[in-house]
Amino acid sequence: DAEVYRTPLGDVPISPRARDLAALPPYRFNPPCRVQRPGWAAHSSRRVPSDAERPETWEHADEVEVPFLQRTLSRFELLPVIFGDVDPAAAAEPLRRVLDEQTLLVVSSDLSHYHSYAEARRRDLGCLEAIGALDLARTAGQEACGLTPILTLLHLARRLNWNPVVLDYRNSGDTAGDRARVVGYGAVAFYEGPPRTGATAEPDRRFLLHLARRAIQEATTTGNPTELAPGAIPPFALVPQGCFVTLTLRGSLRGCIGQIVPTQPLYRTVIENARGAAVRDPRFLPLSAREVSSARIEISLLSPPVPVRFSSPDDLLRQLMPHHHGVVLRIGSRSSTYLPKVWEHFPDKVAFLDSLAEKAGCPPRAWRAADVQVSLYTVESFAEPDPAT
């Protein structure tokens, strides 16, 4: 209920929307609450009588962020919110009503506290993995001290179709040196629009290809599961994404397994699909250990399938883009899909859809029926060099 927020870098105007939000329960100005003084309060330059303490008196999550905003943004208004014991779902809807296209929503929280370096990475990457999956239940079980605003953000993201991308992860052992008791920090951005494919950088692609090869080697030799140390997983691979892993041997298909709809972090999907392509594709015998070195691995990362509205079979044909669209065809209870690279095996769109209908176990022309549903997706593909060359 102040006019400005003051830091050593200057004054930031408080947004008039603060009053709008304070009028929407469970938000309110300075609610009565129990204020717990931190241990360092006695050494603070702020001399605050105990009867004058308010929710934000010793809370520093917001004041940590404001100087960064002052340096980054030339002019802005601030709407600071301190969360107490509140239902995240109930907090999300009123907050949504004061957001617009010009609003930057910042949630500030540490991750884990005072574990060893390795244990902190294990816990923190699990937390980032849950946030990246918009998994409310799993996120609620994490150690981050700002879980309530994080969960409020996830409720908003699910309602507004925001997509997360993990930008970075560090802990204090990466910067301050002491790795015996560290505090974890992550950076996650949320944006509107379809989820982005994650492995656009060459090091990311190499990581996934190496991971797939390791999974195949272990599946065909020891049979042991492929496990990664938490510190070995880059942030982009924590975000769920659909993918296919394809194996070829001397130019011929030797196995291909994948999921269109993401159900788990990308690194896990790559491991499972690589192992599946090697030993569980029902069209082929399991890959032998001696064949592994000659097999070529290709990974295809999928955008989420988008349903197509079409008024007739001809309208559907007009909307298809050969070599660009992957297609999911649903005919009643049956379904099938072709990746975009499969277009090269067909002379035209009709032949492509005829074959896709047959793959679903239906007559070739069944895609022309009234109960057909079609979804389209795009693919980012990359592969190892061909061992034969």
Side-chain angles (χ1 to χ4, degrees):
D1 57 353
E3 294 184 0
V4 299
Y5 193 102
R6 178 164 293 160
T7 81
L9 299 183
D11 291 352
V12 179
I14 297 297
S15 170
R17 297 186 193 183
R19 295 196 174 276
D20 298 335
L21 185 60
L24 301 174
Y27 296 92
R28 59 184 295 187
F29 283 131
N30 302 313
C33 66
R34 180 177 64 87
V35 176
Q36 181 176 348
R37 284 194 172 194
W40 48 264
H43 307 288
S44 172
S45 61
R46 301 182 69 180
R47 299 305 177 194
V48 183
S50 59
D51 59 356
E53 291 175 326
R54 304 199 306 181
E56 81 284 354
T57 300
W58 303 110
E59 174 53 62
H60 54 274
D62 52 351
E63 69 182 17
V64 166
E65 302 293 348
V66 174
F68 288 105
L69 296 170
Q70 289 177 288
R71 282 295 181 91
T72 304
L73 305 175
S74 57
R75 297 175 60 188
F76 67 100
E77 295 179 338
L78 183 67
L79 200 171
V81 181
I82 302 298
F83 273 71
D85 185 8
V86 66
D87 177 10
E93 180 57 26
L95 190 57
R96 184 186 67 81
R97 292 165 62 178
V98 301
L99 300 177
D100 63 21
E101 293 296 322
Q102 299 302 313
T103 304
L104 171 65
L105 181 62
V106 179
V107 172
S108 179
S109 174
D110 299 342
L111 297 180
S112 68
H113 292 75
Y114 309 130
H115 300 288
S116 68
Y117 183 88
E119 178 64 12
R121 287 193 66 93
R122 184 187 71 79
R123 292 175 182 243
D124 293 340
L125 291 176
C127 181
L128 293 175
E129 183 180 301
I131 293 171
L134 300 181
D135 188 331
L136 292 164
R138 188 176 172 196
T139 301
Q142 302 301 318
E143 193 176 329
C145 53
L147 273 182
T148 306
I150 290 174
L151 289 168
T152 301
L153 172 60
L154 295 190
H155 278 286
L156 280 170
R158 289 162 69 106
R159 295 179 190 183
L160 299 174
N161 295 317
W162 292 351
N163 294 292
V165 55
V166 179
L167 302 177
D168 201 0
Y169 166 75
R170 309 290 172 93
N171 64 47
S172 56
D174 295 312
T175 58
D178 180 11
R179 296 193 170 192
R181 297 175 76 244
V182 304
V183 178
Y185 307 95
V188 184
F190 288 75
Y191 61 93
E192 291 182 322
R196 301 169 183 169
T197 54
T200 55
E202 190 59 33
D204 297 343
R205 294 181 172 191
R206 288 197 300 268
F207 168 81
L208 294 179
L209 289 169
H210 175 77
L211 180 61
R213 179 156 292 279
R214 175 183 162 187
I216 290 170
Q217 289 171 337
E218 292 175 344
T220 56
T221 53
T222 65
N224 294 332
T226 302
E227 302 290 349
L228 294 181
I233 307 169
F236 86 91
L238 295 170
V239 179
Q241 186 170 357
C243 93
F244 278 71
V245 176
T246 303
L247 305 181
T248 55
L249 200 60
R250 292 179 289 278
S252 298
L253 181 65
R254 188 62 177 81
C256 182
I257 295 290
Q259 286 91 35
I260 299 171
V261 178
T263 58
Q264 57 186 343
L266 176 58
Y267 82 93
R268 290 184 177 173
T269 304
V270 168
I271 289 173
E272 292 188 6
N273 290 345
R275 295 175 71 95
V279 300
R280 292 195 298 271
D281 190 327
R283 298 169 295 178
F284 303 96
L285 292 173
L287 194 73
S288 67
R290 62 182 177 82
E291 291 178 306
V292 170
S293 61
S294 301
R296 181 174 183 252
I297 300 172
E298 179 178 3
I299 295 176
S300 300
L301 303 181
L302 279 59
S303 68
V306 177
V308 178
R309 294 182 179 180
F310 54 95
S311 57
S312 66
D314 287 340
D315 185 26
L316 172 61
L317 291 173
R318 281 192 294 270
Q319 296 187 54
L320 294 183
M321 297 175 61
H323 309 287
H324 176 72
H325 282 146
V327 180
V328 181
L329 177 65
R330 293 183 178 84
I331 304 172
S333 61
R334 299 175 179 269
S335 66
S336 60
T337 188
Y338 276 151
L339 297 174
K341 65 180 181 180
V342 179
W343 282 100
E344 64 191 38
H345 300 293
F346 298 98
D348 54 41
K349 300 177 184 180
V350 172
F352 181 93
L353 291 176
D354 284 349
S355 177
L356 198 53
E358 289 184 297
K359 184 181 178 184
C362 301
R365 293 177 58 86
W367 62 272
R368 298 175 178 272
D371 63 342
V372 167
Q373 300 176 33
V374 174
S375 297
L376 304 180
Y377 57 89
T378 58
V379 169
E380 173 195 353
S381 295
F382 45 95
E384 299 174 325
D386 193 334
T389 59

